Amino acid sequence: GTSGTRTLEDQWMVERQVREIYNFFYSIPPNSHLETSTEKHFDYLTRGLRKLGPSFSVLDANRPWLCYWILHSIALLGESIDAQLENDAIDFLSRCQDEDGGYGGGPGQMPHLATTYAAVNSLITLGSPKALSSINREKLYTFWLQMKDTSGGFRMHDGGEVDVRACYTAISVASILQIVDDELINDVGNYILSCQTYEGGIAGEPGSEAHGGYTFCGLAAMILINEANRLDLPRLIDWVVFRQGVEGGFQGRTNKLVDGCYSFWQAAVAFLIQRLKSTVHEQLGLSNELSTESADDSSESELSDEEHLQGTSSHVQKTCPLGQEGQENASDPTKIADTGYDFVNRTIAMRPVFDSFYLQQYVLLCSQIDGGFRDKPGKGRDHYHTCYCLSGLSIAQYSWTNEADAPPLPRDVFGPYSQNLLEQIHPLYNVVLDRYYEARSFFSCL
């Protein structure tokens, strides 16, 4: 009926605006208007951080998210903030931490899984010992267990909804802080599995529609608990590849308009799948012809011998003796298999299943404005879209590299290489990779 016509008209309008931008770009000398305007973005972001005070009252329950969107964007640009601002951010987030564990949306607010994810990722992005040691892991673990539902999933907050985003934020935080254990993981996989839809993507809860944000959350959580092989990955691939539209960007659901933030949610799904090649092959009944790759990402992630020794009994890991930092106490049976580290250090055995160059073109030409990023032409900028457009840009730039710390080739980066190349992220947690490594060694030694 009329809504169908309306959707089509909106789609044609977006396509027309995007086509005009691309036509103009291709009519001018190569390489002009292509840069990531780092300084203008940095300005826009630091201004946002400075006034995280009373003026953000509208988003009062979202202030840790604003911290994360802004700090992560700044880190992606390879920039950093001054010491005073960093101290203010740590102080503010500490005031959001509940005495019984977890973080609320502002000082004195009820702790919530999503704002805890934002607060923890912000503190990891700040990265100083002061920031990292401000997180109370023991209390947080207790809060996590209280949010665990009989379905296997997690509740967003006390009495809140159970959904895939709650599962992801719970598992992501527990994993990066190294407090994940069997009790937390128990039945989460069953819950997420029940949310994979007939289309192949993952919905927020059983019976809902497949959606880019929830698909990322579901797949990332399944990888972190070592159960990605339970999902129907070929159907998931089918669904995600058709979400990249003629504009180069991604839509979040079937028949919806392109939106810059899905440059992360959907492209990250595609990027994660590149490291699951042997599982995909197994499910398709194909042989893994290259024997060197078959152990890279098998369903049970055939762990190395030392990891086989690691049980999952204790939720807060034992102290590693001084001087042993980074040696990971291979024989310590209380250390859970390090899936986040494991996964990011696998070889990428598969070419990208999306057009990474075209995605970069959409983000830089259609989402980027003078300071900040937006959903699509005609929309205004905001910190959320800035964070996820930049995160998606990073994913696209690094999608042809085949190991974790390798820089991309110039031909895989849209526009001037040194100007546009962003920092690399850890695709499961969406924090800058270097900060992840620092946090990992910090928490292994507590």
Side-chain angles (χ1 to χ4, degrees), residues 65-84:
W65 276 113
L66 279 161
C67 276
Y68 168 61
W69 297 331
I70 292 173
L71 291 170
H72 181 49
S73 297
I74 289 172
L76 276 161
L77 293 167
E79 301 283 341
S80 53
I81 56 172
D82 61 63
Q84 181 57 54

Side-chain angles (χ1 to χ4, degrees), residues 101-396:
Y103 291 77
Q109 293 185 30
M110 177 156 114
H112 188 286
L113 268 68
T115 44
T116 301
Y117 168 85
V120 167
N121 274 8
S122 297
L123 291 161
I124 284 172
T125 300
L126 290 168
S128 63
K130 181 184 174 185
L132 299 176
S133 57
S134 72
I135 303 167
N136 187 332
R137 297 191 304 160
E138 280 81 1
K139 289 274 174 71
L140 200 151
Y141 175 81
T142 311
F143 172 58
W144 257 207
L145 273 187
Q146 289 165 348
M147 294 306 105
K148 184 97 176 131
D149 183 65
T150 48
S151 64
F154 284 85
R155 294 191 175 281
M156 269 299 184
H157 53 87
D158 191 16
E161 70 280 14
V162 178
D163 66 15
V164 169
R165 195 168 70 122
C167 295
Y168 166 69
T169 48
I171 297 297
S172 174
V173 168
S175 166
I176 208 165
L177 296 180
Q178 299 180 24
I179 55 174
V180 84
D181 68 0
D182 286 346
E183 204 175 345
L184 283 179
I185 285 174
N186 186 35
D187 279 345
V188 173
N190 294 339
Y191 179 78
I192 294 172
L193 201 56
S194 71
C195 298
Q196 185 170 22
T197 79
Y198 71 94
E199 283 190 276
I202 297 171
E205 49 192 19
S208 295
E209 185 183 4
H211 177 288
Y214 292 117
T215 302
F216 168 78
C217 288
L219 179 62
M222 288 298 257
I223 290 168
L224 286 169
I225 64 173
N226 259 329
E227 294 182 23
N229 60 305
R230 299 181 62 198
L231 290 165
D232 185 337
L233 293 174
R235 282 214 347 268
L236 198 150
I237 294 172
D238 265 356
W239 179 80
V240 79
V241 296
F242 285 108
R243 303 285 69 78
Q244 187 171 21
V246 291
E247 310 86 357
F250 281 90
Q251 58 181 187
R253 291 177 284 161
T254 308
N255 293 328
K256 295 286 177 185
L257 300 175
V258 64
D259 178 339
C261 73
Y262 293 110
S263 306
F264 173 74
W265 302 117
Q266 302 283 34
V269 167
F271 189 76
L272 293 174
I273 283 166
Q274 286 176 251
R275 284 190 168 89
L276 295 172
K277 180 185 176 184
S278 63
T279 314
V280 173
H281 272 197
E282 236 162 77
Q283 293 188 359
L284 289 169
L286 301 169
S287 67
N288 284 297
E289 49 323 342
L290 297 170
S291 55
T292 52
E293 283 170 5
S294 63
D296 276 357
D297 55 14
S298 76
S299 48
E300 299 304 359
S301 133
E302 285 153 24
L303 301 171
S304 62
D305 295 340
E306 61 179 45
E307 283 167 327
H308 270 306
L309 302 170
Q310 299 169 354
T312 55
S313 47
S314 156
H315 61 269
V316 176
Q317 268 83 54
K318 302 285 178 277
T319 313
C320 74
L322 286 171
Q324 273 208 318
E325 186 171 358
Q327 283 183 24
E328 303 309 302
N329 289 359
S331 58
D332 179 357
T334 61
K335 193 108 172 58
I336 191 167
D338 202 348
T339 49
Y341 180 78
D342 238 28
F343 185 78
V344 82
N345 283 290
R346 288 179 187 177
T347 323
I348 297 186
M350 201 158 134
R351 292 171 52 164
V353 293
F354 70 105
D355 188 330
S356 59
F357 206 71
Y358 199 23
L359 178 65
Q360 293 174 63
Q361 177 176 308
Y362 178 80
V363 171
L364 287 171
L365 297 180
C366 300
S367 285
Q368 177 174 234
I369 53 178
D370 262 359
F373 288 77
R374 59 188 176 182
D375 156 356
K376 61 175 74 66
K379 293 285 177 86
R381 65 182 178 182
D382 58 58
H383 297 109
Y384 166 81
H385 282 92
T386 302
C387 168
Y388 290 107
C389 284
L390 284 168
S391 303
L393 193 56
S394 170
I395 287 277

Side-chain angles (χ1 to χ4, degrees), residues 89-121:
I90 297 170
D91 180 55
F92 168 71
L93 291 166
S94 297
R95 287 187 294 123
C96 296
Q97 187 165 214
D98 190 85
E99 56 183 23
D100 294 324
Y103 291 77
Q109 293 185 30
M110 177 156 114
H112 188 286
L113 268 68
T115 44
T116 301
Y117 168 85
V120 167
N121 274 8

